[in-house]
Amino acid sequence: MVVLSKPIFDLNFSPIKPCKPTSNVDAALTMIPVVDLSSHDAKSKLLKACEEFGFFKVINHGVPVESITSLESKAVNFFSLAQTQKDEAGPPNPFGYGNKSIGLNGDVGWVEYLLLKTDPLFLSQRCRAFYGEDPLGFSNAVNDYAEAVKELGCEVLELLAEGAEMKQRNALSRLLMDDESDTVLRLNHYPSRPDVQVSTIGGGNNVLGFGEHTDPQIISILRSNSVSGLEISLKDGSWVAVPSDPTSFFILVGDSLQVMSNGRFRSVKHRVMTNGLRPRLSMIYFVGPSLQEKIGPMKELMKEGEESMYKEFTWNEYKTAAYKTRLGDNRLGPFQKKSCITNNNSSRADNVTLVSYN
Ligand SMILES: C=C1C[C@]23C[C@@]1(O)CC[C@H]2[C@@]12CC[C@H](O)[C@@](C)(C(=O)O1)[C@H]2[C@@H]3C(=O)O
Ligand SMILES: O=C(O)CCC(=O)C(=O)O
Ligand SMILES: [Fe+2]
């Protein structure tokens, strides 16, 4: 059994902030649901995983390995450029290159990243400008990857709708297939920290790469290289280290899907630790609806007579509010109905913690 110790922040660039003590098991390998998209029970497994963990791994995902390796190698090349060159692609306002600073409200992590939109206009204009050596190759790689992952996202959302016995198979996937859907692609590079003592067999060193948070969108589709570091929080508040698997994708339920399911699906809290020995590279595709889309509990995902826990909002309203918060803030708090806030004996509110790092 591996006990995860408390993460440390890097004193060179960050004040020490309180972080929940961590404890957990290495049963992660057997604990984290694996959904084989080609199997007949995919939809029921996926549904259960969204309810229990808000997190699962997908295999037989159909994303061509070339799309993955091509974007990965372009990302590796970008992050190995000189700092001055990378800085030319920043700051992320909100798109572009960022280094250590996450968002606009004082969060920091041992990470550098590229935040990109995936629509043709962005790809042909700004995205190309981010990438000096082979701009066309880069935007093509982003486009290929985004198209393939979009198909995967659509499949996942359709299986989820089927599993939940929604009338329309596209009840959820239509949000992603909407031409105006607000999808974002994020490439994260967590440089290794050979200067920090390695504390576990895998090289984990407890330096926080990306602080704990939930993703505001519907789902996030994550692929990383073979370097672990991602940890997820379970319903009981404990943390589990997720073993890396570059051949698979991980799906994370975001705040919007939690709201749409009235808390039935968990928006999973997660964070990333750096590795003392090897750099981690992750590529995450965030599935956001169109800005004017109304998000609220969907009757079809609720039980008969179930009380709605959230006020309805547009994705634009939520996104605007979310981007004013710190990473670890409870972003859904202001959108919860007052009558439901004190109802803390429901497992559906388990993940709505009121932890703030301020
Ligand atoms: C601190 C922040 C970074 C973030 C915007 C925010 O104010 C709160 C949400 C953060 C998050 C988490 C998931 C994605 O990585 C992200 C792009 C998003 O949509 O919400 C980031 C935002 C960011 O890095 O700008
Ligand atoms: O790098 C990872 O594995 C996760 C990063 C993440 O949570 C994010 O970019 O929102
Ligand atoms: Fe995230």
Side-chain angles (χ1 to χ4, degrees):
M1 171 161 138
V2 173
V3 176
L4 298 181
S5 56
K6 214 168 161 172
I8 56 167
F9 286 81
D10 189 70
L11 290 174
N12 294 325
F13 70 92
S14 159
I16 292 184
K17 293 174 184 165
C19 216
K20 254 184 161 181
T22 59
S23 65
N24 224 312
V25 277
D26 73 333
L29 264 179
T30 50
M31 180 192 285
I32 291 166
V34 180
V35 178
D36 179 346
L37 288 189
S38 66
S39 90
H40 65 280
D41 63 352
K43 54 186 180 225
S44 55
K45 271 196 146 176
L46 198 141
L47 176 78
K48 201 156 174 262
C50 288
E51 291 174 346
E52 286 302 309
F53 297 88
F55 183 83
F56 54 95
K57 170 162 139 173
V58 284
I59 59 172
N60 284 319
H61 47 70
V63 178
V65 69
E66 303 76 39
S67 303
I68 301 172
T69 49
S70 162
L71 182 58
E72 181 174 33
S73 71
K74 301 252 183 300
V76 168
N77 286 347
F78 176 83
F79 290 120
S80 56
L81 293 173
Q83 192 59 50
T84 46
Q85 263 177 290
K86 290 187 280 190
D87 286 340
E88 280 171 23
N93 55 358
F95 300 106
Y97 171 77
N99 185 15
K100 296 192 185 82
S101 170
I102 301 172
L104 298 172
N105 310 307
D107 288 287
V108 286
W110 192 251
V111 63
E112 55 177 346
Y113 55 90
L114 269 176
L115 269 169
L116 307 166
K117 264 173 91 67
T118 57
D119 62 83
L121 192 67
F122 183 87
L123 289 181
S124 65
Q125 295 178 355
R126 290 224 35 218
C127 181
R128 286 195 201 168
F130 289 160
Y131 200 82
E133 283 166 12
D134 174 20
L136 188 58
F138 183 60
S139 65
N140 285 343
V142 169
N143 189 44
D144 281 358
Y145 182 82
E147 277 186 3
V149 172
K150 184 174 183 176
E151 265 185 53
L152 168 61
C154 185
E155 173 75 4
V156 164
L157 291 171
E158 294 194 346
L159 285 169
L160 185 58
E162 273 187 37
E165 297 178 357
M166 299 181 86
K167 280 191 213 89
Q168 309 275 348
R169 194 174 192 253
N170 73 348
L172 304 172
S173 65
R174 68 165 189 85
L175 301 168
L176 168 59
M177 299 318 278
D178 187 327
D179 287 343
E180 308 275 294
S181 76
D182 185 27
T183 53
V184 173
L185 179 68
R186 178 174 198 135
L187 307 176
N188 287 317
H189 174 232
Y190 304 88
S192 59
R193 290 297 305 264
D195 54 317
V196 178
Q197 212 186 341
V198 171
S199 62
T200 68
I201 296 161
N205 57 13
N206 285 342
V207 174
L208 202 51
F210 205 123
E212 69 176 73
H213 66 283
T214 57
D215 294 344
Q217 291 82 359
I218 301 171
I219 53 170
S220 312
I221 306 174
L222 166 72
R223 189 270 175 189
S224 83
N225 66 358
S226 60
V227 179
S228 301
L230 177 69
E231 296 179 2
I232 59 163
S233 168
L234 304 182
K235 275 184 176 171
D236 66 4
S238 60
W239 288 90
V240 172
V242 178
S244 61
D245 180 354
T247 65
S248 305
F249 281 84
F250 292 95
I251 308 291
L252 295 89
V253 170
D255 298 343
S256 299
L257 188 54
Q258 173 168 311
V259 170
M260 287 155 66
S261 65
N262 204 33
R264 174 172 171 190
F265 306 145
R266 294 184 75 224
S267 172
V268 64
K269 209 186 267 180
H270 55 285
R271 65 186 183 196
V272 181
M273 297 297 161
T274 63
N275 188 284
L277 307 172
R278 295 168 57 212
R280 172 178 170 88
L281 190 103
S282 67
M283 318 201 280
I284 314 196
Y285 182 87
F286 299 99
V287 176
S290 71
L291 290 177
Q292 54 290 348
E293 186 71 42
K294 288 202 174 107
I295 308 286
M298 299 172 84
K299 286 266 174 289
E300 277 194 276
L301 291 174
M302 292 158 65
K303 295 199 190 94
E304 188 133 341
E306 187 176 319
E307 198 188 336
S308 154
M309 284 176 21
Y310 302 96
K311 300 171 200 160
E312 194 180 70
F313 48 82
T314 63
W315 168 239
N316 190 30
E317 283 164 342
Y318 189 59
K319 192 178 172 182
T320 306
Y323 274 61
K324 289 185 183 143
T325 62
R326 300 286 300 266
L327 264 187
D329 286 347
N330 170 32
R331 276 178 275 288
L332 280 177
F335 297 90
Q336 262 184 289
K337 286 197 177 159
K338 291 228 165 54
S339 57
C340 297
I341 289 174
T342 50
N343 180 9
N344 57 6
N345 58 0
S346 155
S347 64
R348 295 193 166 189
D350 281 353
N351 57 331
V352 185
T353 59
L354 292 172
V355 175
S356 159
Y357 286 158
N358 290 327

